[in-house]
Amino acid sequence: MTAQFQHVSVLMQETLDALAIDPNGTYIDGTFGRGGHSGQILARLGEQGCLQAIDQDPQAIAAAEKFANDPRFAIAHTRFSNINDVAEKADLLGKVDGILLDIGVSSPQLDDADRGFSFMKDGPLDMRMDPTSGRSAAQWLAEAELEDITFVIKKYGEEKFGRRIAHKIIETRDETPILTTKQLADLVDEAVPVKDKHKHPATRTFQAIRIYINSELEEIQTALQASLNVLKPGGRLVVISFHSLEDRIVKQFIKKQSKGEALPRGLPLTDAQLKQNLTLKALGKAIKPSAEEISENPRSRSSVLRVAQKL
């Protein structure tokens, strides 16, 4: 069923350049998806190279079967925030040359109405990256308090009409359970008094609920911190994000690790002592897709790639 849903990996060449792949190196693709980036990494690895992939989506794990006969490849069915545990089990702690995190929902997840990520097609209101665990969006909306729904929509969706939408959700569910993506999209459309000409009124609400249901921002923070333990000195951290909340976390993390701990002015410390606190070095500026890539793959338009190297 899932074969019909195609995924085009964004910023492919930029990602490969950022990883600076050593044919004999060890790499982790923390977000395997449908294996686009993984396939290209493997193509550049020699016999001694190694690629450890991670994904929490059972459909992604099934897609990884195409690499099952490659002794250089392994995949773990778990969240990418568990990257430290995965590396430890594979005896890779402090030995990894590069980590790739391509954050967010993939095209197959968006295009498959049964997954409930998109308001463009009617389907069950699920939104879980791993449908086998946790609460679905429908289950959460059926139980959540007004203040909690308002907070999620405002914080993770940056939606100024968050309270209006939350009120409409409570009002609707009291009469009819909200079980489908169309139901949610329609009620958000009714609740939002001012429409954006270039964006569906439910866009921010769907984003917010998805981020909350999957603890996406917490996942990123945990994985970024763990990367410091997983990478070897000189190893590279490459992160692709798709909206400002994600990118802000990545940008601030790299900035903090590149500057070290804040110390009071005037302390009698040498440059060498100050540098002891530094763990990462930012490599270049944020990279965005070319006009040509956006034309070929419109979903790439909001992607941002950042690169850092472990000191």
Side-chain angles (χ1 to χ4, degrees):
M1 176 182 175
T2 59
Q4 62 182 304
F5 302 116
Q6 300 300 315
H7 178 66
V8 179
S9 299
V10 304
L11 295 163
M12 178 64 80
Q13 190 57 53
E14 293 86 346
T15 297
L16 297 170
D17 291 343
L19 285 169
I21 295 170
D22 174 356
N24 297 318
T26 299
Y27 296 87
I28 294 180
D29 182 351
T31 45
F32 178 82
R34 295 301 181 267
H37 287 120
S38 281
Q40 290 301 314
I41 293 171
L42 284 169
R44 286 158 177 76
L45 291 179
E47 290 184 5
Q48 303 304 313
C50 170
L51 175 62
Q52 172 70 59
I54 300 170
D55 209 294
Q56 62 178 311
D57 188 338
Q59 293 180 2
I61 300 301
E65 281 295 312
K66 60 189 174 186
F67 300 133
N69 295 324
D70 192 329
R72 304 168 302 166
F73 177 81
I75 190 165
H77 183 196
T78 188
R79 294 169 175 261
F80 66 78
S81 58
N82 293 325
I83 189 171
N84 193 86
D85 293 342
V86 172
E88 185 174 22
K89 288 178 182 177
D91 191 28
L92 297 178
L93 282 182
K95 302 176 182 178
V96 175
D97 293 274
I99 294 173
L100 169 62
L101 300 177
D102 182 1
I103 300 165
V105 64
S106 68
S107 292
Q109 290 169 328
L110 283 171
D111 293 337
D112 186 349
D114 289 341
R115 300 301 297 272
F117 284 107
S118 175
F119 48 79
M120 301 300 289
K121 300 177 181 179
D122 194 20
L125 189 59
D126 195 309
M127 295 196 191
R128 289 172 293 176
M129 298 288 190
D130 182 354
T132 66
S133 66
R135 287 186 301 174
S136 69
Q139 290 170 327
W140 178 68
L141 287 177
E143 304 167 355
E145 300 289 340
L146 173 65
E147 293 302 324
D148 292 334
I149 298 173
T150 301
F151 173 81
V152 166
I153 296 175
K154 282 191 169 185
K155 180 176 175 64
Y156 300 131
E158 299 178 301
E159 172 58 76
K160 62 183 177 181
F161 299 116
R163 180 165 286 275
R164 280 175 175 265
I165 295 168
H167 270 293
K168 187 67 176 178
I169 287 171
I170 299 291
E171 176 186 308
T172 302
R173 80 182 188 191
D174 286 344
E175 297 180 4
T176 308
I178 304 169
L179 302 176
T180 71
T181 54
K182 186 176 187 304
Q183 280 180 284
L184 179 59
D186 287 348
L187 73 84
V188 172
D189 191 13
E190 290 179 32
V192 173
V194 180
K195 310 292 195 270
D196 186 328
K197 292 181 180 179
H198 307 292
K199 187 178 291 187
H200 190 288
T203 301
R204 294 187 181 91
T205 297
F206 269 68
Q207 171 187 296
I209 295 173
R210 188 202 82 217
I211 288 173
Y212 174 75
I213 289 296
N214 295 289
S215 303
E216 290 181 34
L217 302 188
E218 293 82 2
E219 287 276 299
I220 297 168
Q221 291 166 333
T222 301
L224 291 175
Q225 193 62 45
S227 71
L228 301 177
N229 197 38
V230 175
L231 287 169
K232 72 179 187 183
R236 294 191 173 192
L237 173 65
V238 179
V239 185
I240 302 171
S241 54
F242 286 84
H243 61 72
S244 60
L245 293 175
E246 296 169 342
D247 184 53
R248 193 176 305 139
I249 291 172
V250 178
K251 180 180 179 180
Q252 291 176 350
F253 175 79
I254 292 175
K255 182 178 180 181
K256 179 181 177 182
Q257 300 302 324
S258 298
K259 289 190 172 182
E261 296 179 18
L263 298 171
R265 289 186 179 181
L267 285 183
L269 297 174
T270 65
D271 286 345
Q273 288 173 316
L274 288 170
K275 288 180 180 178
Q276 285 180 350
N277 291 322
L278 308 184
T279 56
L280 290 177
K281 173 186 177 183
L283 298 181
K285 297 181 179 180
I287 299 171
K288 298 183 179 180
S290 65
E292 181 181 358
E293 178 171 2
I294 293 173
S295 175
E296 294 177 357
N297 179 18
R299 284 180 177 170
S300 71
R301 66 184 178 277
S302 60
S303 60
V304 179
L305 182 150
R306 294 186 185 273
V307 191
Q309 187 170 41
K310 184 176 177 181
L311 298 173

